[in-house]
Amino acid sequence: MWLHVRGFIGATYELGQCYEHGLGVEQNKERAEYYYSIAAKCGHIHARTRLTLMQPGPYTEELATLAEQRVPFGDTYSAFELYRYYRESHLSKAIRFLKKAAQDRHVSAMICLALHYKLGIGVRKQIAQYAEWMQKAADNGNAYALYELTQGYYMQNESEESCKIHIDLLAKAANNGDCVAQYDMAQGHDIAFNWFGYDYFGDCRYEDFEECLLASAKNGYLPAMCELGEEYRGERYFDKSPKSAKYWIEKAATAGYPKAQFELATMYESGNCVRTNEKLAFRYYKLAADNNYAGAQYPTAQYFDEGIPGALEPDRQQYLHYLQKAAENDIHEAQLELSELYEGSDLLERNDEQVIKWLKAAADGAFPVPLAQFNLGIEYRDGVHTSADQKKALKYLKLAADNHCEDSYCNLGAMYRRGAGTQVNYKKALYYFQKATCEFAIAHVGCMLLRGYGVKRDIPKALEHLQKAAKLNEPHALYHLGECYENGWGLECNRRKAINCYRKAVKFDKDYDDAKEALKRLTEK
């Protein structure tokens, strides 16, 4: 599903198979037909075959009774249609007719029987029987059977022999004009089938990535057209050809392929291979977004939020609509933005549960957003929209720090220094404070050097940090600099300067009790 909403038609086809056969989800023929239809519209020829095979037979009860009488006389058409008639209501009976049709060389029956053996539906699962019947269908010139065999061998195991059989079959399917196989061969050339550990392409007539991709595109496979256009933008292997890039991507976009609509939108937005045109960028982003292309929904939301001068008025309701769709499709930037809206905005009332839900989605997702991890850490630390949990706070702040979120460094340093969610650890505190660049961190590095926390005491270096942060009016730096003036640590004792430092620390942090007490102590002398 994650790949489907990002335009991977192979995944769309696989979703159809999952719903058709109940693999990992509850069996649902309507959902299967939905995904197969999307793949078929994009030129996936095998999705068209699956749609055809899924259709109910033409028989009524009366016609089925008459057909059963013809089967013993070698009527393979009737045998196969009886399989289709009975497969929902009486599977064992349907399988008997299916076997009869397959044995009498009905190609569609061979394919269906092979799939029953592959999945173990109505018969005992037997990969050898699956391969035998699918091979018979392929030998009769069926393109679907040949391509399905390539998948079968690959799934069987990953031995060198099995993988070579897989590639040989894929090459044969590509040579026979199978646009999906041609596209798969292109992907193989792209990465040299290196998941098998060697470079092997069988007897494929197409010598390289470009030839395979071009053959697939010319045979009507929209993902191949789109990828061909992307390559002609000159971003990887091909020389840049703006006309070819626009031609192929626009061709796929016009045919309704959402990923191509998205790619064309990015081209018009950035002026890559075409003239910059925000109106057209918005148009194609919205087309792709309405076709449930996840990556286009967030940019569409941004256009509705900001508008286009003279062309599109901002529309906050539409902005929210597309933002929510993007968030539901696991676009982490949208999830982070939605969490902020749920803190209370002109569009949404405050909802603490939703704030945390969408923050967690963005923080824990496949490609987590460091800022979401940081914000979630702060939520757990402070307990504003959820119960405070210092261990969870530490966990998410550390994740954000590991992803180079600078805001997390200071907070982690403070937590390790005071032992929040963990034991006090001055070395880790100093490590994170030193990674940060804010005046708070600089002040605490100075303090730790001054006190010898987690490091050998070094007053000259401590003063260097404290004076730097004090110039930025950081309260802790001012307080500790006051201590240095009061006690003569690296500086000449100067009561007036110490009082001045303490006074400024209180000015910039009215709740700084240590500075208040120090100021009171000196001014009362």
PDB file of all heavy atoms in Angstrom, residues 380-410:
ATOM      1  N   TYR A 380       6.720  14.746  25.611  1.00  0.00           N
ATOM      2  CA  TYR A 380       6.855  13.788  26.713  1.00  0.00           C
ATOM      3  C   TYR A 380       7.631  14.390  27.888  1.00  0.00           C
ATOM      4  O   TYR A 380       7.405  14.017  29.040  1.00  0.00           O
ATOM      5  CB  TYR A 380       7.539  12.511  26.230  1.00  0.00           C
ATOM      6  CG  TYR A 380       6.629  11.585  25.457  1.00  0.00           C
ATOM      7  CD1 TYR A 380       6.938  11.187  24.163  1.00  0.00           C
ATOM      8  CD2 TYR A 380       5.449  11.107  26.031  1.00  0.00           C
ATOM      9  CE1 TYR A 380       6.100  10.327  23.460  1.00  0.00           C
ATOM     10  CE2 TYR A 380       4.606  10.256  25.333  1.00  0.00           C
ATOM     11  CZ  TYR A 380       4.939   9.880  24.047  1.00  0.00           C
ATOM     12  OH  TYR A 380       4.102   9.032  23.346  1.00  0.00           O
ATOM     13  N   ARG A 381       8.522  15.303  27.609  1.00  0.00           N
ATOM     14  CA  ARG A 381       9.278  15.940  28.694  1.00  0.00           C
ATOM     15  C   ARG A 381       8.397  16.877  29.512  1.00  0.00           C
ATOM     16  O   ARG A 381       8.413  16.862  30.747  1.00  0.00           O
ATOM     17  CB  ARG A 381      10.459  16.729  28.122  1.00  0.00           C
ATOM     18  CG  ARG A 381      11.399  17.295  29.184  1.00  0.00           C
ATOM     19  CD  ARG A 381      12.334  18.329  28.588  1.00  0.00           C
ATOM     20  NE  ARG A 381      11.625  19.554  28.203  1.00  0.00           N
ATOM     21  CZ  ARG A 381      12.185  20.584  27.589  1.00  0.00           C
ATOM     22  NH1 ARG A 381      13.475  20.528  27.270  1.00  0.00           N
ATOM     23  NH2 ARG A 381      11.487  21.659  27.282  1.00  0.00           N
ATOM     24  N   ASP A 382       7.597  17.681  28.804  1.00  0.00           N
ATOM     25  CA  ASP A 382       6.833  18.725  29.483  1.00  0.00           C
ATOM     26  C   ASP A 382       5.400  18.325  29.800  1.00  0.00           C
ATOM     27  O   ASP A 382       4.739  18.986  30.602  1.00  0.00           O
ATOM     28  CB  ASP A 382       6.818  19.995  28.626  1.00  0.00           C
ATOM     29  CG  ASP A 382       8.220  20.566  28.418  1.00  0.00           C
ATOM     30  OD1 ASP A 382       9.121  20.205  29.203  1.00  0.00           O
ATOM     31  OD2 ASP A 382       8.412  21.354  27.480  1.00  0.00           O
ATOM     32  N   GLY A 383       4.885  17.290  29.116  1.00  0.00           N
ATOM     33  CA  GLY A 383       3.524  16.830  29.406  1.00  0.00           C
ATOM     34  C   GLY A 383       2.445  17.822  29.058  1.00  0.00           C
ATOM     35  O   GLY A 383       1.457  17.947  29.798  1.00  0.00           O
ATOM     36  N   VAL A 384       2.583  18.534  27.934  1.00  0.00           N
ATOM     37  CA  VAL A 384       1.580  19.541  27.556  1.00  0.00           C
ATOM     38  C   VAL A 384       0.350  18.886  26.927  1.00  0.00           C
ATOM     39  O   VAL A 384      -0.781  19.160  27.316  1.00  0.00           O
ATOM     40  CB  VAL A 384       2.186  20.575  26.577  1.00  0.00           C
ATOM     41  CG1 VAL A 384       1.111  21.548  26.109  1.00  0.00           C
ATOM     42  CG2 VAL A 384       3.330  21.314  27.242  1.00  0.00           C
ATOM     43  N   HIS A 385       0.572  17.999  25.941  1.00  0.00           N
ATOM     44  CA  HIS A 385      -0.552  17.354  25.249  1.00  0.00           C
ATOM     45  C   HIS A 385      -0.663  15.872  25.577  1.00  0.00           C
ATOM     46  O   HIS A 385      -1.488  15.164  25.005  1.00  0.00           O
ATOM     47  CB  HIS A 385      -0.409  17.528  23.735  1.00  0.00           C
ATOM     48  CG  HIS A 385      -0.484  18.959  23.292  1.00  0.00           C
ATOM     49  ND1 HIS A 385       0.650  19.713  23.051  1.00  0.00           N
ATOM     50  CD2 HIS A 385      -1.538  19.769  23.054  1.00  0.00           C
ATOM     51  CE1 HIS A 385       0.294  20.927  22.684  1.00  0.00           C
ATOM     52  NE2 HIS A 385      -1.019  20.996  22.681  1.00  0.00           N
ATOM     53  N   THR A 386       0.162  15.395  26.487  1.00  0.00           N
ATOM     54  CA  THR A 386       0.135  13.997  26.913  1.00  0.00           C
ATOM     55  C   THR A 386       0.773  13.915  28.282  1.00  0.00           C
ATOM     56  O   THR A 386       1.325  14.905  28.783  1.00  0.00           O
ATOM     57  CB  THR A 386       0.889  13.096  25.910  1.00  0.00           C
ATOM     58  OG1 THR A 386       0.711  11.730  26.263  1.00  0.00           O
ATOM     59  CG2 THR A 386       2.373  13.427  25.870  1.00  0.00           C
ATOM     60  N   SER A 387       0.688  12.754  28.898  1.00  0.00           N
ATOM     61  CA  SER A 387       1.315  12.588  30.206  1.00  0.00           C
ATOM     62  C   SER A 387       2.834  12.656  30.066  1.00  0.00           C
ATOM     63  O   SER A 387       3.398  12.107  29.117  1.00  0.00           O
ATOM     64  CB  SER A 387       0.923  11.239  30.803  1.00  0.00           C
ATOM     65  OG  SER A 387      -0.482  11.147  30.953  1.00  0.00           O
ATOM     66  N   ALA A 388       3.456  13.330  31.008  1.00  0.00           N
ATOM     67  CA  ALA A 388       4.913  13.430  30.974  1.00  0.00           C
ATOM     68  C   ALA A 388       5.531  12.047  31.164  1.00  0.00           C
ATOM     69  O   ALA A 388       5.056  11.241  31.964  1.00  0.00           O
ATOM     70  CB  ALA A 388       5.397  14.379  32.060  1.00  0.00           C
ATOM     71  N   ASP A 389       6.567  11.773  30.388  1.00  0.00           N
ATOM     72  CA  ASP A 389       7.276  10.491  30.473  1.00  0.00           C
ATOM     73  C   ASP A 389       8.722  10.769  30.081  1.00  0.00           C
ATOM     74  O   ASP A 389       9.051  10.866  28.904  1.00  0.00           O
ATOM     75  CB  ASP A 389       6.632   9.467  29.524  1.00  0.00           C
ATOM     76  CG  ASP A 389       7.211   8.069  29.691  1.00  0.00           C
ATOM     77  OD1 ASP A 389       8.431   7.962  29.935  1.00  0.00           O
ATOM     78  OD2 ASP A 389       6.459   7.090  29.551  1.00  0.00           O
ATOM     79  N   GLN A 390       9.576  10.894  31.087  1.00  0.00           N
ATOM     80  CA  GLN A 390      10.947  11.321  30.844  1.00  0.00           C
ATOM     81  C   GLN A 390      11.756  10.302  30.038  1.00  0.00           C
ATOM     82  O   GLN A 390      12.621  10.661  29.242  1.00  0.00           O
ATOM     83  CB  GLN A 390      11.653  11.624  32.168  1.00  0.00           C
ATOM     84  CG  GLN A 390      11.007  12.743  32.974  1.00  0.00           C
ATOM     85  CD  GLN A 390      10.891  14.036  32.175  1.00  0.00           C
ATOM     86  OE1 GLN A 390      11.860  14.497  31.580  1.00  0.00           O
ATOM     87  NE2 GLN A 390       9.704  14.626  32.143  1.00  0.00           N
ATOM     88  N   LYS A 391      11.447   9.011  30.203  1.00  0.00           N
ATOM     89  CA  LYS A 391      12.165   7.991  29.434  1.00  0.00           C
ATOM     90  C   LYS A 391      11.825   8.098  27.952  1.00  0.00           C
ATOM     91  O   LYS A 391      12.700   7.992  27.087  1.00  0.00           O
ATOM     92  CB  LYS A 391      11.837   6.599  29.968  1.00  0.00           C
ATOM     93  CG  LYS A 391      12.495   6.295  31.307  1.00  0.00           C
ATOM     94  CD  LYS A 391      12.271   4.845  31.722  1.00  0.00           C
ATOM     95  CE  LYS A 391      13.002   4.553  33.027  1.00  0.00           C
ATOM     96  NZ  LYS A 391      12.793   3.146  33.468  1.00  0.00           N
ATOM     97  N   LYS A 392      10.538   8.307  27.652  1.00  0.00           N
ATOM     98  CA  LYS A 392      10.138   8.479  26.252  1.00  0.00           C
ATOM     99  C   LYS A 392      10.704   9.785  25.702  1.00  0.00           C
ATOM    100  O   LYS A 392      11.092   9.868  24.534  1.00  0.00           O
ATOM    101  CB  LYS A 392       8.620   8.461  26.120  1.00  0.00           C
ATOM    102  CG  LYS A 392       8.007   7.085  26.270  1.00  0.00           C
ATOM    103  CD  LYS A 392       6.497   7.115  26.032  1.00  0.00           C
ATOM    104  CE  LYS A 392       5.895   5.723  26.148  1.00  0.00           C
ATOM    105  NZ  LYS A 392       4.424   5.740  25.946  1.00  0.00           N
ATOM    106  N   ALA A 393      10.735  10.800  26.543  1.00  0.00           N
ATOM    107  CA  ALA A 393      11.309  12.080  26.125  1.00  0.00           C
ATOM    108  C   ALA A 393      12.761  11.891  25.712  1.00  0.00           C
ATOM    109  O   ALA A 393      13.190  12.357  24.645  1.00  0.00           O
ATOM    110  CB  ALA A 393      11.202  13.100  27.253  1.00  0.00           C
ATOM    111  N   LEU A 394      13.507  11.187  26.542  1.00  0.00           N
ATOM    112  CA  LEU A 394      14.919  10.932  26.245  1.00  0.00           C
ATOM    113  C   LEU A 394      15.061  10.138  24.949  1.00  0.00           C
ATOM    114  O   LEU A 394      15.918  10.434  24.108  1.00  0.00           O
ATOM    115  CB  LEU A 394      15.555  10.180  27.408  1.00  0.00           C
ATOM    116  CG  LEU A 394      17.076  10.024  27.346  1.00  0.00           C
ATOM    117  CD1 LEU A 394      17.756  11.358  27.653  1.00  0.00           C
ATOM    118  CD2 LEU A 394      17.548   8.962  28.333  1.00  0.00           C
ATOM    119  N   LYS A 395      14.205   9.128  24.778  1.00  0.00           N
ATOM    120  CA  LYS A 395      14.254   8.283  23.580  1.00  0.00           C
ATOM    121  C   LYS A 395      14.091   9.116  22.312  1.00  0.00           C
ATOM    122  O   LYS A 395      14.890   9.008  21.363  1.00  0.00           O
ATOM    123  CB  LYS A 395      13.152   7.221  23.650  1.00  0.00           C
ATOM    124  CG  LYS A 395      12.937   6.464  22.348  1.00  0.00           C
ATOM    125  CD  LYS A 395      11.679   5.610  22.398  1.00  0.00           C
ATOM    126  CE  LYS A 395      11.327   5.075  21.018  1.00  0.00           C
ATOM    127  NZ  LYS A 395      10.075   4.266  21.041  1.00  0.00           N
ATOM    128  N   TYR A 396      13.058   9.950  22.263  1.00  0.00           N
ATOM    129  CA  TYR A 396      12.786  10.698  21.033  1.00  0.00           C
ATOM    130  C   TYR A 396      13.774  11.839  20.813  1.00  0.00           C
ATOM    131  O   TYR A 396      14.136  12.147  19.679  1.00  0.00           O
ATOM    132  CB  TYR A 396      11.337  11.197  21.029  1.00  0.00           C
ATOM    133  CG  TYR A 396      10.371  10.098  20.662  1.00  0.00           C
ATOM    134  CD1 TYR A 396       9.614   9.456  21.636  1.00  0.00           C
ATOM    135  CD2 TYR A 396      10.258   9.660  19.347  1.00  0.00           C
ATOM    136  CE1 TYR A 396       8.750   8.425  21.302  1.00  0.00           C
ATOM    137  CE2 TYR A 396       9.403   8.631  19.006  1.00  0.00           C
ATOM    138  CZ  TYR A 396       8.649   8.014  19.982  1.00  0.00           C
ATOM    139  OH  TYR A 396       7.810   6.981  19.634  1.00  0.00           O
ATOM    140  N   LEU A 397      14.236  12.444  21.890  1.00  0.00           N
ATOM    141  CA  LEU A 397      15.246  13.491  21.726  1.00  0.00           C
ATOM    142  C   LEU A 397      16.558  12.887  21.208  1.00  0.00           C
ATOM    143  O   LEU A 397      17.249  13.494  20.388  1.00  0.00           O
ATOM    144  CB  LEU A 397      15.479  14.215  23.054  1.00  0.00           C
ATOM    145  CG  LEU A 397      14.359  15.165  23.488  1.00  0.00           C
ATOM    146  CD1 LEU A 397      14.617  15.683  24.889  1.00  0.00           C
ATOM    147  CD2 LEU A 397      14.224  16.327  22.516  1.00  0.00           C
ATOM    148  N   LYS A 398      16.857  11.679  21.669  1.00  0.00           N
ATOM    149  CA  LYS A 398      18.073  11.023  21.183  1.00  0.00           C
ATOM    150  C   LYS A 398      17.920  10.632  19.706  1.00  0.00           C
ATOM    151  O   LYS A 398      18.869  10.762  18.919  1.00  0.00           O
ATOM    152  CB  LYS A 398      18.401   9.799  22.033  1.00  0.00           C
ATOM    153  CG  LYS A 398      19.798   9.258  21.755  1.00  0.00           C
ATOM    154  CD  LYS A 398      20.225   8.233  22.762  1.00  0.00           C
ATOM    155  CE  LYS A 398      21.673   7.821  22.548  1.00  0.00           C
ATOM    156  NZ  LYS A 398      22.008   7.489  21.160  1.00  0.00           N
ATOM    157  N   LEU A 399      16.731  10.149  19.327  1.00  0.00           N
ATOM    158  CA  LEU A 399      16.497   9.836  17.913  1.00  0.00           C
ATOM    159  C   LEU A 399      16.673  11.088  17.057  1.00  0.00           C
ATOM    160  O   LEU A 399      17.277  11.043  15.978  1.00  0.00           O
ATOM    161  CB  LEU A 399      15.073   9.274  17.729  1.00  0.00           C
ATOM    162  CG  LEU A 399      14.849   7.826  18.178  1.00  0.00           C
ATOM    163  CD1 LEU A 399      13.361   7.485  18.123  1.00  0.00           C
ATOM    164  CD2 LEU A 399      15.633   6.860  17.295  1.00  0.00           C
ATOM    165  N   ALA A 400      16.135  12.194  17.532  1.00  0.00           N
ATOM    166  CA  ALA A 400      16.273  13.451  16.795  1.00  0.00           C
ATOM    167  C   ALA A 400      17.734  13.866  16.703  1.00  0.00           C
ATOM    168  O   ALA A 400      18.203  14.324  15.645  1.00  0.00           O
ATOM    169  CB  ALA A 400      15.447  14.549  17.468  1.00  0.00           C
ATOM    170  N   ALA A 401      18.468  13.684  17.788  1.00  0.00           N
ATOM    171  CA  ALA A 401      19.893  14.036  17.788  1.00  0.00           C
ATOM    172  C   ALA A 401      20.660  13.153  16.812  1.00  0.00           C
ATOM    173  O   ALA A 401      21.527  13.632  16.075  1.00  0.00           O
ATOM    174  CB  ALA A 401      20.466  13.890  19.197  1.00  0.00           C
ATOM    175  N   ASP A 402      20.327  11.861  16.789  1.00  0.00           N
ATOM    176  CA  ASP A 402      20.989  10.944  15.852  1.00  0.00           C
ATOM    177  C   ASP A 402      20.708  11.331  14.409  1.00  0.00           C
ATOM    178  O   ASP A 402      21.473  10.986  13.502  1.00  0.00           O
ATOM    179  CB  ASP A 402      20.526   9.508  16.106  1.00  0.00           C
ATOM    180  CG  ASP A 402      21.027   8.966  17.449  1.00  0.00           C
ATOM    181  OD1 ASP A 402      21.971   9.562  18.000  1.00  0.00           O
ATOM    182  OD2 ASP A 402      20.472   7.961  17.925  1.00  0.00           O
ATOM    183  N   ASN A 403      19.573  12.019  14.187  1.00  0.00           N
ATOM    184  CA  ASN A 403      19.217  12.506  12.843  1.00  0.00           C
ATOM    185  C   ASN A 403      19.613  13.974  12.651  1.00  0.00           C
ATOM    186  O   ASN A 403      19.059  14.666  11.797  1.00  0.00           O
ATOM    187  CB  ASN A 403      17.719  12.316  12.591  1.00  0.00           C
ATOM    188  CG  ASN A 403      17.370  10.866  12.317  1.00  0.00           C
ATOM    189  OD1 ASN A 403      18.083  10.188  11.578  1.00  0.00           O
ATOM    190  ND2 ASN A 403      16.303  10.382  12.914  1.00  0.00           N
ATOM    191  N   HIS A 404      20.559  14.437  13.490  1.00  0.00           N
ATOM    192  CA  HIS A 404      21.197  15.747  13.330  1.00  0.00           C
ATOM    193  C   HIS A 404      20.235  16.921  13.543  1.00  0.00           C
ATOM    194  O   HIS A 404      20.384  17.967  12.905  1.00  0.00           O
ATOM    195  CB  HIS A 404      21.861  15.862  11.956  1.00  0.00           C
ATOM    196  CG  HIS A 404      22.699  14.676  11.592  1.00  0.00           C
ATOM    197  ND1 HIS A 404      23.853  14.357  12.272  1.00  0.00           N
ATOM    198  CD2 HIS A 404      22.536  13.704  10.656  1.00  0.00           C
ATOM    199  CE1 HIS A 404      24.378  13.250  11.765  1.00  0.00           C
ATOM    200  NE2 HIS A 404      23.594  12.830  10.778  1.00  0.00           N
ATOM    201  N   CYS A 405      19.272  16.731  14.439  1.00  0.00           N
ATOM    202  CA  CYS A 405      18.402  17.845  14.814  1.00  0.00           C
ATOM    203  C   CYS A 405      19.097  18.636  15.916  1.00  0.00           C
ATOM    204  O   CYS A 405      19.178  18.189  17.067  1.00  0.00           O
ATOM    205  CB  CYS A 405      17.045  17.320  15.291  1.00  0.00           C
ATOM    206  SG  CYS A 405      15.918  18.621  15.834  1.00  0.00           S
ATOM    207  N   GLU A 406      19.603  19.814  15.575  1.00  0.00           N
ATOM    208  CA  GLU A 406      20.421  20.579  16.521  1.00  0.00           C
ATOM    209  C   GLU A 406      19.656  20.989  17.769  1.00  0.00           C
ATOM    210  O   GLU A 406      20.230  21.088  18.851  1.00  0.00           O
ATOM    211  CB  GLU A 406      21.004  21.811  15.824  1.00  0.00           C
ATOM    212  CG  GLU A 406      22.077  21.463  14.807  1.00  0.00           C
ATOM    213  CD  GLU A 406      22.932  22.657  14.446  1.00  0.00           C
ATOM    214  OE1 GLU A 406      22.841  23.678  15.137  1.00  0.00           O
ATOM    215  OE2 GLU A 406      23.691  22.542  13.472  1.00  0.00           O
ATOM    216  N   ASP A 407      18.346  21.227  17.620  1.00  0.00           N
ATOM    217  CA  ASP A 407      17.560  21.656  18.786  1.00  0.00           C
ATOM    218  C   ASP A 407      17.570  20.604  19.890  1.00  0.00           C
ATOM    219  O   ASP A 407      17.344  20.930  21.059  1.00  0.00           O
ATOM    220  CB  ASP A 407      16.113  21.936  18.376  1.00  0.00           C
ATOM    221  CG  ASP A 407      15.982  23.191  17.523  1.00  0.00           C
ATOM    222  OD1 ASP A 407      16.902  24.024  17.576  1.00  0.00           O
ATOM    223  OD2 ASP A 407      14.969  23.343  16.819  1.00  0.00           O
ATOM    224  N   SER A 408      17.800  19.354  19.510  1.00  0.00           N
ATOM    225  CA  SER A 408      17.754  18.280  20.515  1.00  0.00           C
ATOM    226  C   SER A 408      19.017  18.223  21.370  1.00  0.00           C
ATOM    227  O   SER A 408      18.983  17.702  22.482  1.00  0.00           O
ATOM    228  CB  SER A 408      17.529  16.934  19.826  1.00  0.00           C
ATOM    229  OG  SER A 408      18.636  16.616  19.014  1.00  0.00           O
ATOM    230  N   TYR A 409      20.128  18.741  20.853  1.00  0.00           N
ATOM    231  CA  TYR A 409      21.396  18.601  21.572  1.00  0.00           C
ATOM    232  C   TYR A 409      21.340  19.244  22.960  1.00  0.00           C
ATOM    233  O   TYR A 409      21.737  18.638  23.961  1.00  0.00           O
ATOM    234  CB  TYR A 409      22.542  19.212  20.768  1.00  0.00           C
ATOM    235  CG  TYR A 409      22.796  18.568  19.425  1.00  0.00           C
ATOM    236  CD1 TYR A 409      23.280  19.327  18.362  1.00  0.00           C
ATOM    237  CD2 TYR A 409      22.554  17.221  19.210  1.00  0.00           C
ATOM    238  CE1 TYR A 409      23.520  18.752  17.115  1.00  0.00           C
ATOM    239  CE2 TYR A 409      22.790  16.637  17.976  1.00  0.00           C
ATOM    240  CZ  TYR A 409      23.271  17.412  16.931  1.00  0.00           C
ATOM    241  OH  TYR A 409      23.502  16.842  15.704  1.00  0.00           O
ATOM    242  N   CYS A 410      20.871  20.481  23.004  1.00  0.00           N
ATOM    243  CA  CYS A 410      20.792  21.202  24.271  1.00  0.00           C
ATOM    244  C   CYS A 410      19.915  20.475  25.269  1.00  0.00           C
ATOM    245  O   CYS A 410      20.255  20.323  26.448  1.00  0.00           O
ATOM    246  CB  CYS A 410      20.194  22.588  24.022  1.00  0.00           C
ATOM    247  SG  CYS A 410      21.391  23.888  24.196  1.00  0.00           S
TER     248      CYS A 410
END
